[in-house]
Amino acid sequence: MKASSPSTRRHSLKFDWMDDSWDLQFARRPLPANLWSHETHDRRAHGGTVWNLESCRSYNVVAFHLMKNLPTTPPRRRAFTLIEMLVVIAIIGILAGILLPALSVIKVKAKIRIAKSEMNMIAAAIKEYESSYERFPASKPVEATSSAATPDYTFGVPSGPTAMPASDGRARDNSELMEILLDIDRVGGPNEGHRRNPKKQSLLHAKQATGDAPGVSSTDWVYRDPWSNPYIITIDLNDDNKCIDKFYGTIGLGDTVGLVKNAANLWELNASVMVWSYGPDGRIDPSTGAKQGLNKDNILSWQE
């Protein structure tokens, strides 16, 4: 673009379009009079300001090139490929395979701790009752079953691959004992009219439940372990500070669980209370040893 030479006082400008087209926006800035030339500047001064066409062109050409190089569409984000997705899924599957068994073991150990805590509470409640009443929590019919042959009493007849006989009148669950310890006044129950707990003491602070859920059920008053199996409880009815459990008294290898064989060839514990659970598998087998087969995971209150 070139400006024509001046010929009169009033000057006109002639523009020749060259290079790329540009938006004709003159940039105004003051210039000293000795710096303008007729080839590049309009000679007309307006308030000390002249039109600098050369600098106007340079500014707009740069702007034009910048605008021309701007992207017309936003960049597309790169998506995952099928192989990448399969690799991620495989990694997640491997981690799940490692973590799930570990979580299962942790869950079982937590339930075992709960069972041990509940068995200790049962034993403590029975001892507190014995201290308060100078007798063990049992109904009159239960006390009548005590004899030289069967001096102690087991609440709950264990069941398993070989069912334990109930011909000696053993209660099939621990509900009678729970009603006495919790002072449940039920018509026809062992503690009707608070006759077995006249001080009306609730000696056991157990988790409340319904149906066959873990805890003491308000449906049948049975105390069940974390796997919903009734706790087996044996008390020392003849006050010799020794317990002979219906199941562990006759099982083989009783010494592996801390029992001692007495003169009647029965395994007994030197304590007044025995509480135990079938454990995680919920099963027992009287035909094997105390720490063998299905009995291996049984949880015993007298063992750590």
Side-chain angles (χ1 to χ4, degrees), residues 67-142:
M67 293 179 65
K68 185 174 71 173
N69 294 328
L70 287 175
T72 57
T73 57
R76 295 180 61 186
R77 297 180 62 182
R78 180 177 175 273
F80 288 107
T81 66
L82 179 60
I83 294 177
E84 289 173 334
M85 293 182 66
L86 291 175
V87 169
V88 172
I89 293 172
I91 293 173
I92 293 173
I94 292 171
L95 292 176
I98 294 173
L99 293 176
L100 288 179
L103 292 175
S104 178
V105 171
I106 292 173
K107 187 176 181 180
V108 170
K109 288 183 177 180
K111 287 187 175 183
I112 290 174
R113 286 194 295 269
I114 292 173
K116 285 184 173 291
S117 176
E118 290 177 343
M119 291 188 297
N120 289 334
M121 287 192 300
I122 293 172
I126 293 173
K127 291 175 182 178
E128 185 177 353
Y129 180 97
E130 193 270 339
S131 177
S132 179
Y133 292 105
E134 296 185 353
R135 66 171 185 264
F136 284 100
S139 64
K140 287 289 186 181
V142 167

Side-chain angles (χ1 to χ4, degrees), residues 170-221:
R170 258 42 178 177
R172 289 196 169 273
D173 56 52
N174 56 49
S175 60
E176 178 176 314
L177 181 59
M178 293 301 113
E179 289 186 50
I180 296 173
L181 293 176
L182 293 170
D183 188 38
I184 304 301
D185 181 8
R186 181 177 61 84
V187 176
N191 191 46
E192 181 180 3
H194 308 282
R195 58 191 175 194
R196 303 307 290 179
N197 193 346
K199 295 182 181 180
K200 301 179 182 180
Q201 299 173 314
S202 181
L203 303 172
L204 183 61
H205 304 286
K207 175 184 176 182
Q208 299 299 306
T210 57
D212 59 355
V216 177
S217 174
S218 59
T219 304
D220 55 14
W221 302 109

Side-chain angles (χ1 to χ4, degrees), residues 142 144-153 168 170 237-238 244 246 266:
V142 167
T145 63
S146 178
S147 64
T150 56
D152 302 323
Y153 194 90
D168 60 354
R170 258 42 178 177
L237 280 187
N238 64 344
I244 302 175
K246 176 66 177 176
L266 297 173

Side-chain angles (χ1 to χ4, degrees), residues 6 28 47 78 140 197 215 225 236 245 247 296:
R28 299 182 62 190
R78 180 177 175 273
K140 287 289 186 181
N197 193 346
D225 65 16
D236 173 28
D245 181 78
F247 179 77
K296 190 174 182 179

Side-chain angles (χ1 to χ4, degrees), residues 263-279:
N265 208 30
L266 297 173
W267 295 104
E268 62 184 11
L269 178 70
N270 291 322
S272 58
V273 181
M274 297 175 70
V275 187
W276 59 280
S277 161
Y278 296 168

